[in-house]
Structures are given as C-alpha cells and as structure tokens.
C-alpha cells in the first residue's frame, strides 16, 4: 500500500484504472467535422440535423460508440444537444457546463445556449423556415422530446424527418463498435429475489393498468428484472438490451445469447423468451397486429420504438416504468449487500483519508494523484468492479464546480490552507456507494469552518428527520436547506438522488429535491448531499447514503414515523467543525455517527491507520 | 362592556349578530323534497340531477338564495355535491363532514359518500345506464368539474344536460331572492391604488398572454379591481357581479347601477362601462362574434359562461385569474390597513381573553356565549363590518372538530380542566383578521401542555423561517410540521391560506400546504395555523397572520432571504407552555412576540384588562 506521493504513481501499485484524466473534447475538430456533416446532410436533402448526447436507451452514461456529440462538437459534458443548420449551429447545455462548453467547442462555428433560457424548440422556431426538413435519429430522442421538437417545427410549417441511418455514423470513420460485453447472472444472495417472482409482480401492475405489455427500455430495469449485469457502458454494470414484458405471457429479452454466461442464460431462459436484438422491431410490430395495449415510459422510450408501435396500431398507454419502483425498494438481501459494500468502502475511504493526512506539506499531491490513490485503496479491497462515476477530485476553486472532472489540463495541487472536495463511489457486486467528503489541507480559515459547519448542520437535519407515510422528496428537501437559508446560504442542486443496488448510482423514481413528488418508501436508498460553493475559492459538500426505514412508533406520539438509517461510514473532518454552531442534538448525532464508524471499521484496520481513525472519530465535546 | 355571563346575554349589550347558532339543516325534509324533485325531473324527461353547493361565481360563502343543497338534503356543510337519480341518491362530502352529514341527511333516501374515496364521476359511471339524461345547472359547475362529469357520462353513452332553469328553483316555494345589497366605493386610503392603474396592469398581463379579454367571475377580483365592496354573501364583503376585462378597451362591469353609491359609481364609470347583469350574456357572445381570444380560469368560471363563449366561437385560453396575484400582493396602504385592523382586533381579543379569565369556576359559560361575547368585543371597536367567518368556538372534544360550527344542539360548557379552541376573524374596512387561540379552562393536564407546546414550536418554526426568492408554499409547509413529526404528531389540514384585504378570508393563489406550488412574494399575507387534534378529547390550533417581507441580506450570508412579519397581536396561553420543551431561540421569539403585543395593545387598555395583559405577556424565563 502506498503512503507517499512517489509510490502511488507507479504502475505497480495502481493496479486498475476505471477513470482517465486525458483532456477530452476540445475545439480542434469542430469546424472540419461540422463541415463534413453539412455535406452529408445536403446529400440527404436535409436542412439540418439534431444531435443529442444519448444512446438508444437514453442512458446517463453512454458507450464510446454513442459519443456522437463529443466527436462532432468537442463538447464532453454528460448532457447536451446540438442543432446544426446549413449556416447556423447551436449547442444547448445546462448551468453545470456554462464554462466548460466555451473552452471545448469552436464558438466561431457553434454557439452555446443556456438550455434553461433558450429551449432547443424555441431556437428552432426562430431559425427554421417554412418547408425545411430537419433530421433526427429517432432512436436517440425520447418520445417526450420528439413531440416538443415536432410541434415547434409544425408551427413553422417545417418537418422533423426521422433518419433510419444516423449521418454521423456515416462520416465518423473511426467510430467504435457497439458494445457487446459479457453478461453475467447476478446471484440470489445479492438480489434476494428470483426473476420469476419479480416478473409476476410487474405483470400484476400491468394487468391493473389495463396494459397487455410494457416495453422495458431502461437497461437497469432489464438487469434488475432478470438478475443480470453487463459492462456495456462505463460505471453502470448494465448491458444495452430491450425487453418486452407481456402481462399474460413470457417476457421477451432481446440480446445475443453468446454474450450470456451460464447463470445469465439460466435466469433468462427459465422465465423468458431469449431473442436476438434484430427481432425487437418485429416483436414490437406483432403487438400492434394484435391491437395490444402497450405501456411505455415517455421519458425513457425512444421515438423510434414509439413510431413502430403507432404504425402497427398498438394502443399506447403512457406511464412511469413499472419496474423502477420495485427496483428502488430494496429487499433484505439488497440492504445487507449495501451495508457490506459500505463497510468495505468505508475502510478504503479511511485508508485514503489517513494517506492524505500523511502527505508532506512541502510535497503536495495533485487532484489526479488523489483520485488515483482513492481508486487504488478501493481496488485493494479485492471487490471493486468499477467506480460508480468518475471521481470528482477538486482542490480549492475546483471544488466549487459542482460536476468537476479533473483532467491533465485542470489538474491542481492540494495546497496548504485550501479545501479539497472528493465525491466518489464504487461498484461492488453487493452494492453501489457514493460519498462526498470535504477536507482541510493544512490550517483552515474561519470562513471555511463556518461554511463547513453550516453544511454539516444541513446534512444532520435531513438525516435525523422523522416523516409520515406519503412524504415525498419535496417535503424532505427543506430539512436540509433550512439551516443554510437561516444563514443566507443555499446550494443550486438537488439534495439527494436514488441509488441502485450494483446498478446506476442515479436511479428513480424517488429523489430529494423541490421537484420530487414521489413518496419515499421503506427500502429506498438516497443520497443526502447538501453543499456550499464559493466561486473561485472552494466548495463544500457532505454526502452519505441513507436508507428509508419502516415507520416506527415514537414514544408519546400517535403516528408511526419513517426515518433514515445512514449507510455510509467515514469520518467528517473535525478540523472544519465549529461546535459552538451545533445544537446539542446535532453534536450528539455527530458523536454517535463517529462512534459507529469506529465500531464498524476499526476491526478491519491496523497500526497507524487504526490509530488515526480512533482520533478522527473521537467524540467532540462542548 | 360585559364581564359576567348574565350581562353579555342581554340583547342590549349584544348589539350585533353576524353569526347565528340555530340548528341548520337536518333530515326532516330530505325525503319529501327529493320526492318533489324527482317528480319535477320526470316532467323534464331527466333521469337525474346534480346539485353542488355553489353559486354562479363558485364562491366559498353563498347567499341564502343559493343554499339549494341545504334546502334539498338538509346538509349544511360548506362543500358538497348531491346526485339524485330515479331510485338512488348520493351526497359527496370531504373528511371534515363525515360525521355531520350522517346526522343531517335522511340516510334512507340519500347515501353519504366520502369524496376522496368515491368521486361523483365514478359513482355516476357505476349507476348511470346507456341513454340516460342527467341534468345540471351549468351556472353552478366549474368548467373543470363539468368536463369530468361529462366525460364520465359519455363513457356510459349517457348525456349531461344543461338546464336553463334550475328545477330546484321551480319547486322551492320559499326560496329567498337573489341578493342585491348596496355597493360602496372603497376609499384609496385603504386600497392604495386607483382602479385605472390596476386595470392597466391587468391589461398588460392579458396582452402578454395573447388574450383579448378576461372574464372576471370571482367577485373578489371585481371588487379589488374597481375598489368596490358589497354585502351579497355572509362574511365576505362582495357583490355578485361579473366583469369582462378587455386587453385594449374599457372593461365592462355587469351590475345594476341603482345598487351603487356615488363613490362606487365613480370608480366604475371613470374606468369602465357599466352594464346591467342581463347584458352579460350578449357581451360574451359579442366576443365570439369578433373571434376574440378569451382567457378564463377553469376553476372559477362556470360552464354556462364557457358554453356561451364556445358557441359564439371565441378562442379560449385557460389560465389562472390574472387579478388574483396582484390582489394577493398587498401594497403599502393595504399593509398599513391590515396592521391597524390587527391592532384593533388584538384589543378586542385581549378584552375577550380577560373576560374569559374572570368567568367564575362554578358558573361556566357555553361555546355560544363565548362566541357572542367575542363578537361583542369586536363590535365595541366601532369598526366591525362583519365576522370574516363563523367563529369556531369549541370546548373539550368539540375543539377537535377542525371545522366545528357551534349550534344550539352541539353547544357545550367550557368546563374546568378542559381546553377551549376559538378560531375567529373580523372584517374591518382597513383589513381582514383571522386568529386562533387555544386556552386552558382551569388547570390543564400534562398531555395538554405537551401538545400545546409542540404546536407552538411548529408555529414558531414557520414564523421564524428564512427562505429564498422562488420558495413556494410546499417548501414552507415542512417548517411547521417538522417539530410535530419529530414527536410522532401531525395535523390533517394545510398550514396556511392567503387572506384578502377587506375581502375573502381565504384567498389564492398562494397557500402553505403540501400542494401549493405558487411562489410566495413580498406583500402576501398568509395564516400560520398548525394544530393537534385528539379525537373525543381536545383540539389545539395556534394561528397568527403573517406577512411575507422583502428579501433582506443576512450578516455573513450571500443570498438575500425572505421572511415573515407577524401581524396578529394576542397573547398565547402561558399556562399551556412547557418551557423545557422550547429551544432558546423559540423562547426568545415567544418573549419578543409577547413584548410587542404588550407594547402595541397596552395603550388601548385600562385597569384590570391592562393589568391582565401585562401578566399575560410578561417574559417567560428558563
């Protein structure tokens, strides 16, 4: 194990690398590639083309094959959409990417637009003329987005044209292959439930909704239902496959059987019909031929599927993916797995924190070195399957960029007197983790301590909340914000997202935010991650995962109340806590939490690491 | 002024009576009148008829002329809808009226239904047969409700038939006349703004929405826009009149000119065209003839208006009444008026509380006597125009009935060792009040003290909240509930409603509840009224009105934050407060509040009343 800067940088100790730090994107090729695309569009008699960052499954993470927006424009963010017309071009991004897009695309060629101010549909209405044909790849747009764009064009008497072959794929000579990773069966000790039971449950939901079938387009849903996992995209252990769940017949799963290991094949063939991906379309058409009522989730279904269903006369029912809710409510085996994963991950985090504490003042490490070291400690658990996302490793002002990605270009030293924010997670077979800690490098300044303590209060206030059955994310979000609002502070992101079980680190339907109207239910796992960001100076975010517990009676109370159990195990940086700002009950929570961190993790540690944890988790006293 | 039981009951001292206590409703006539209605329906070839509790303006309070549901069924609640078919009849009520409906209607004839479990549209679908004709009075159903019922009947191949004359009016021999109260101009010292300015503001909104006209159906909107007030319904100083607000021409107001005093006539004729009510329909038709785009609020517009607009080919735009938002944001004059009204009302409340404290233990008064006494103290201010709603005067278990109406039948003594809940308000020319206090009669029991203190914590937690621009009622609601949730308690109603300025005590668009998505804005006035209800024992509710203040900088903070200023002035019952349950800052708020009550009210009081207030507001110490 590596304690000093020199050691951890050698290839021998860094055994694995689920994250790269190269300068992705950039404006070098924007002009040339957009020219190429325009020539291709001309051949196809199109006046424009729309390029979202998306794959056929509308996933958050996409495979290299689907990085068309990055290839074309140079923009490497995780969300965006470009519209290329004959003489004009725009790229629409959200507030996270305002600065990044400016450095990554050639602004002489393509104009960045803040999507909250100018929707792509509005921009189209301004720039499109009567009679124009604007192309899309219908597989890369959700039904909901397709309809918005289509309506905008119809208003201008222009047309949205669905292209069977994506023109980018035609001109992109070096486009990587579609992924086709091995698919493995996920054992029952982790899933707690056989596919047959799960399928039955979903079929009941379909019958209640009056649907004959559901088109499962989200790979996480297919993975959960059949207890299988893949490696088609980074950081989420999924394979890109569709399924049709029939209410009264065996499901159909569309995947090449040679990708499946024995257990995966078992899981599917015992309960479903295995079919090659190229049969998906004819199966969709078959539904229409029988006038079936078909449930789709308009936010997760691409418009090619929708068009096929409509053309073949299916009756469409729109609704939320019925698999997402049971998937979000973790069963006993999944909860136990998540707890084991967090114990393992907590040990890796603790070793990393100790390692950081030992970095010599005069030999500061960099953000990349810190991220590599953390990955290495996780790798040394022997159970790491992937990172659950690219580690956000931000020192000083980089910590204030909420979705910061460290690259060779942005890499910064962890300097004395600055804060370091590290938001990271791991994929283990038994569970997915996501944790953020903010640390003082050297002596922190009073403002840092005040802001850290306020964020900690926000975190504690949510973690210790009691709430009745039926409470939704929107009802819980103010618990975290109230202490910050009281001090004139706030953060410009949601408070918590759902987390999958060896699946996506961002999962619905639940979340904790001002928009979330899904009731929280026992077994759901969410993040609790309030923050504070001082532009150009530092960022603070404190994140643990929390499990929604069953309603419990409260002494003297009348309504059983739900509450949270904290899963994440790692100390908070006591150098950044001003206990005079904490209430008695907040201090009590902190000490109790630290005691449980010590109790659970210390048995896995030895020597100076163990001694460090003892100090780090020792009770604070008023 | 009356201090003892005997005195306040004499007609001489009770100078006014805006509230009656007779046993309204009851099942005596249900059977006979429903039989009469059925005979009438047969003549008109209808298989059924739908009777909502409503007037043409869909007001909360209706005039005696519009109490058709009460007359027909005997149900006297403030919300409900009956459906009478040839052999079946049902009445749909919400949770507030579950018990009351059972005692008021003849259940052999008409079956009560909980509206949250069985919607009228669902019940209709179950009981209506193909080809049936079900009548409605289109003037009494909102567009939204009409559409729901119509769709339900169409699914059963039955018809919803709009009756030009309401069959109830035909058979109701003793139906009171339509109200036609005098209408007065409301002076600028209270309104702070001339009608001309207000109209201009609304016309700008209409132009921005692309609307040529708005149909102002809510009488409060018409009253606010033209600075006029009436007395057509109890408790809300409105007249029942429609107006059409044209985006580019003078508004039309439909009211008989002989009802207007000079100032009211001035206010209307200087800015608008005055027209008789019988011209309203032809003006609606004239809009259609010119293919105008007409904005309507589907929740506040009756379907007769909608049908007239549609039939005459207007293009309908649906949206919120554009008058409601500016009306809700009080200007300086309105805020000053509300403050004067609360100072005046606070004196009356204080005198009432002192009077209550002097009632001899062995001669307990009743709920009716207490309500009369309170009204009398308000009357003695010389400024009382009306109560803003019927005083909820509930002793012991009656306090646990959230919308309790005291009548001769339910009247109860205020007994030693019980709690007394009094929720009341006044209409003064300068403002509308709404206050709830809960009092210990004699020695309170420990459970009462604990529950009272928890509700007080809830009240304080909301009152002291800071929140950023854009925060909505749903974001503030958890502030009040959190302390109760933490103790396993909750209340089954919203936390706060908007309050008008010498207008309706319940006004939108803002509110504080889990459903409210309207951002709070400076100048809005809301109630803050968390509660606790122990069925069969007691109820606790603590209500002050609060004003949304402009965003202010907070020392050390970065975002200016909005907050509340409390308008209501009256002591909380210190006998019911366990200070060991209060945090330091909660206790500080309570003492500061009591100090301001003393400071503002004491100058209006003398002798024993003043001495009592001094004690009642003296600081509590840990």
């Amino acid at each position: 194990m590596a304690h000093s800067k020199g050691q951890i940088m050698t290839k021998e100790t860094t055994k694995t690398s689920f994250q790269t730090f190269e300068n992705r994107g950039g404006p070098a090729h924007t002009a040339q590639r957009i020219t190429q695309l325009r020539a291709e569009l001309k051949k196809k008699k199109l006046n424009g083309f729309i390029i979202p960052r998306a794959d056929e499954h509308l996933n958050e993470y996409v495979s290299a094959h689907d990085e068309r927006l990055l290839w074309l424009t140079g923009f490497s963010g995780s969300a965006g959409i470009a519209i290329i017309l004959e003489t004009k071009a725009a790229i629409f991004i959200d507030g996270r990417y305002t600065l990044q897009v400016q450095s990554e695309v050639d602004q002489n060629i393509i104009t960045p637009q803040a999507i909250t101010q100018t929707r792509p549909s509005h921009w189209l209405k301004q720039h499109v003329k009567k009679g124009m044909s604007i192309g899309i790849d219908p597989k890369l747009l959700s039904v909901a987005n397709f309809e918005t764009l289509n309506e905008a064009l119809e208003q201008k008497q222009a047309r949205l044209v669905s292209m069977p072959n994506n023109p980018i794929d035609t001109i992109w000579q070096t486009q990587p292959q579609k992924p086709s990773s091995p698919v493995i069966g996920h054992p029952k000790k982790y899933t707690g439930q056989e596919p047959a039971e799960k399928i039955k449950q979903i079929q009941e939901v379909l019958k209640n909704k009056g649907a004959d079938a559901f088109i499962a387009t989200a790979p996480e849903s297919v993975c959960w239902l059949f207890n299988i996992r893949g490696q088609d995209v980074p950081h989420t252990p999924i394979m890109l496959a569709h399924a049709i769940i029939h209410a009264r017949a065996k499901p159909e799963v569309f995947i090449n059987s040679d990708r499946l290991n024995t257990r995966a094949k078992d899981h599917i063939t015992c309960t479903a019909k295995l079919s090659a991906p190229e049969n998906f379309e004819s199966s969709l058409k078959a539904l229409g031929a029988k006038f079936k009522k078909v449930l789709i989730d308009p936010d997760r279904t691409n418009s090619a599927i929708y068009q096929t269903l409509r053309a073949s006369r299916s009756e469409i029912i729109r609704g939320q993916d019925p698999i997402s809710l049971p998937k979000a409510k973790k069963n006993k085996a999944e909860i136990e797995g998540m707890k084991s994963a967090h114990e393992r991950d907590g040990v890796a985090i603790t070793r990393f924190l100790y390692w950081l504490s030992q970095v010599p003042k005069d030999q500061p490490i960099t953000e990349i070195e810190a991220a590599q070291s953390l990955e290495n400690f996780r790798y040394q658990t022997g159970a790491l399957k992937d990172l659950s996302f690219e580690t956000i490793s931000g020192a000083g002002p980089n910590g204030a960029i909420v979705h910061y990605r460290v690259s060779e270009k942005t890499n910064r030293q962890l300097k004395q007197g600055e804060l370091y924010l590290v938001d990271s997670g791991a994929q283990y077979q038994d569970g997915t983790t996501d944790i953020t800690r903010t640390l003082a490098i050297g002596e922190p300044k009073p403002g840092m301590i005040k802001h850290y303590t306020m964020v900690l209060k926000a975190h504690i206030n949510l973690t210790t909340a009691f709430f009745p059955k039926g409470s939704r994310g929107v009802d819980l979000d103010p618990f975290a914000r109230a202490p910050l609002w009281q001090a004139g502070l706030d953060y410009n992101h949601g408070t918590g997202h759902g987390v999958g079980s060896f699946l996506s680190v961002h999962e619905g339907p639940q979340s904790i935010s001002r928009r979330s109207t899904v009731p929280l239910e026992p077994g759901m796992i969410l993040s609790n991650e309030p923050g504070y960001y001082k532009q150009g100076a530092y960022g603070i975010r404190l994140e643990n995962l929390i499990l929604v517990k069953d309603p419990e009676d409260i002494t003297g109370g009348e309504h059983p109340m739900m509450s949270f159990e904290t899963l994440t195990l790692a100390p908070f940086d006591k150098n950044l806590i001003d206990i005079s700002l904490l209430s008695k009950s907040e201090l009590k929570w902190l000490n109790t939490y630290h005691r449980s961190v010590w109790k659970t993790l210390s048995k896995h540690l030895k020597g100076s690491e163990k001694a460090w944890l003892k100090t780090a988790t020792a009770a604070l006293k008023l």
Side-chain angles (χ1 to χ4, degrees), chain A residues 512-530:
Chain A
I512 299 176
S513 81
R514 68 200 308 267
R515 275 186 298 271
S516 177
T517 56
V518 174
L520 299 189
E521 296 191 42
M524 286 179 170
I525 291 172
L526 296 120
S527 68
N528 168 6
E529 46 179 318

Side-chain angles (χ1 to χ4, degrees), chain A residues 164-181:
Chain A
N165 298 307
N166 194 312
I168 306 267
D169 298 359
T170 312
I171 58 174
W172 185 0
Q173 302 292 335
T174 57
Q175 183 179 29
Q177 288 295 305
K178 277 193 177 192
S180 182
S181 65

